[in-house]
Amino acid sequence: MLIGYARVSTSEQETDLQITALENAGCRKIIHEKGSSVGKRPQLHRLLDVLSYGDQLVVWKLDRLARSLSDLLRIIDRLEGSGASFRSLTEPIDTGSPAGRLMLQILGAMGEFERSLIRERSIAGQQEAMRRGVHCGRPPVLAKSDQTDIARLYASGWYTLDSLAMVYEVHPSVIKRAVY
């Protein structure tokens, strides 16, 4: 049986385009969910639990199923373990054939390569910004003068990290960062 899976990342997005394509491809059953691929994806995991020999999981696009090559390969292994196969409608991937399995590996590797390049560029941009003195991340909870006072008070031995946290109304980890 052809079983479709449609996913969008945010609640503002709709799965209508994917569902129409999956119906046109002959899927009798379509599972859909809204949520990031980084999240738990409960509908996908329930679907993977019930797929059996001869079933084919069909998606509109590869990135609707997996977030990385390793995630994709885990899902494909799980499919193959149950005797099911996988097909993407927009990429030439059908794990029912050797050529489809090869194409899956190539596309997955290219996607992971692209994400690695994006990550490297992001890190390089952050490092350059920090070199110029730009603060990256959340703003500090305490002013520099408060951090100096906290370090002095803690060094006096009269205060613990927890007592200083209560006085300054912050979490003890904030005090710890100011002290060390």
Side-chain angles (χ1 to χ4, degrees), residues 67-69 108 111-120:
R67 67 178 178 275
S68 67
L69 178 58
E112 192 160 307
F113 176 68
E114 181 180 4
R115 281 187 295 281
S116 295
L117 291 178
I118 291 169
R119 186 174 189 287
E120 285 178 8

Side-chain angles (χ1 to χ4, degrees), residues 159-171:
Y159 295 92
T160 65
L161 294 175
D162 289 332
S163 64
L164 287 168
M166 287 187 347
V167 169
Y168 282 88
E169 298 178 347
V170 295
H171 193 273

Side-chain angles (χ1 to χ4, degrees), residues 3-176:
I3 302 172
Y5 175 72
R7 183 187 59 78
V8 290
S9 300
T10 66
S11 59
E12 293 83 33
Q13 297 173 322
E14 294 299 328
T15 56
D16 298 341
L17 171 70
Q18 295 175 52
I19 290 172
T20 300
L22 293 168
E23 287 171 345
N24 291 339
C27 293
R28 287 194 235 156
K29 182 176 183 181
I30 298 173
I31 305 299
H32 57 94
E33 64 187 331
K34 293 184 179 190
S36 169
S37 66
V38 177
K40 296 202 184 291
R41 299 176 289 175
Q43 296 292 343
L44 173 62
H45 293 292
R46 273 191 221 106
L47 173 60
L48 293 174
D49 287 341
V50 299
L51 287 172
S52 60
Y53 184 81
D55 288 340
Q56 185 172 58
L57 175 61
V58 182
V59 297
W60 177 66
K61 197 170 171 83
L62 195 58
D63 67 353
R64 301 296 85 205
L65 181 65
R67 67 178 178 275
S68 67
L69 178 58
S70 60
D71 185 36
L72 178 63
L73 294 177
R74 272 192 301 274
I75 292 170
I76 298 300
D77 281 345
R78 200 165 159 191
L79 284 170
E80 290 177 350
S82 65
S85 62
F86 168 74
R87 180 169 54 130
S88 170
L89 298 178
T90 59
E91 294 100 356
I93 300 172
D94 183 344
T95 62
S97 72
R101 286 191 294 275
L102 172 65
M103 190 53 112
L104 174 72
Q105 295 281 338
I106 292 169
L107 287 175
M110 293 301 293
E112 192 160 307
F113 176 68
E114 181 180 4
R115 281 187 295 281
S116 295
L117 291 178
I118 291 169
R119 186 174 189 287
E120 285 178 8
R121 287 192 299 264
S122 293
I123 290 170
Q126 286 176 340
Q127 288 173 341
E128 178 58 26
M130 289 188 301
R131 189 186 63 73
R132 292 190 323 264
V134 175
H135 175 76
C136 295
R138 295 177 63 183
V141 174
L142 296 170
K144 284 284 186 196
S145 60
D146 287 339
Q147 291 178 21
T148 304
D149 291 343
I150 288 168
R152 184 179 45 78
L153 290 169
Y154 184 75
S156 74
W158 288 94
Y159 295 92
T160 65
L161 294 175
D162 289 332
S163 64
L164 287 168
M166 287 187 347
V167 169
Y168 282 88
E169 298 178 347
V170 295
H171 193 273
S173 63
V174 174
I175 300 299
K176 190 174 181 179

